[in-house]
Amino acid sequence: MAGNGEPVADPSAAPSFVHPVRPDQARLEAATAAFRMLSDATRLHILWVLAEGEADVTALVDSCHASRTAVSQHLAKLRFTGLVETRREGRHIIYRIRDGHLARLVREGLNLADHIVTGEPPHA
């Protein structure tokens, strides 16, 4: 048990897709912070690209049609908040989305947007 009475996750256990935990204040604030990072179109586009696979800054600039400066600033925010990670490959820094939950959230948000834009009926 953690100091707050919550069970501590077993680091050797396989990650789960569903976490049936009632949202407490800490979880609500963490989710709000993640949604805040998703509320910018360029950051959302960057995350969508990274949900499909790793990329360097040049590939992200090309995909997002944004300036290198803007992409770099957004990547810094995404790194600071822990939503993306990096690794070095020679002289290049390669970015990747940190968590499968985030990748699925980004994809689902854009699937919802597709319904809104095209007028396709919502799913039950």
Side-chain angles (χ1 to χ4, degrees):
M1 289 283 197
N4 61 2
E6 291 286 329
V8 175
D10 177 3
S12 65
S16 63
F17 291 111
V18 178
H19 303 269
V21 177
R22 178 176 216 99
D24 58 12
Q25 193 61 35
R27 287 173 177 83
L28 291 168
E29 289 175 11
T32 300
F35 283 123
R36 195 174 297 118
M37 287 291 103
L38 296 174
S39 70
D40 179 90
T42 302
R43 279 195 300 269
L44 183 58
H45 197 163
I46 289 168
L47 289 169
W48 178 81
V49 172
L50 295 177
E52 300 304 310
E54 296 179 332
D56 66 6
V57 173
T58 301
L60 292 168
V61 166
D62 292 344
S63 295
C64 298
H65 306 290
S67 72
R68 181 174 284 277
T69 300
V71 168
S72 294
Q73 289 174 349
H74 287 297
L75 285 168
K77 288 179 184 181
L78 292 167
R79 282 187 69 197
F80 179 75
T81 57
L83 299 183
V84 299
E85 299 174 325
T86 61
R87 66 179 177 80
R88 182 171 288 281
E89 190 173 281
R91 292 181 39 187
H92 297 278
I93 302 296
I94 307 299
Y95 292 85
R96 66 180 163 261
I97 205 161
R98 185 171 172 264
D99 188 278
H101 288 295
L102 178 59
R104 287 186 297 281
L105 179 62
V106 167
R107 287 185 193 111
E108 282 301 310
L110 289 166
N111 287 338
L112 171 64
D114 188 56
H115 280 265
I116 293 167
V117 170
T118 65
E120 183 178 339
H123 300 282

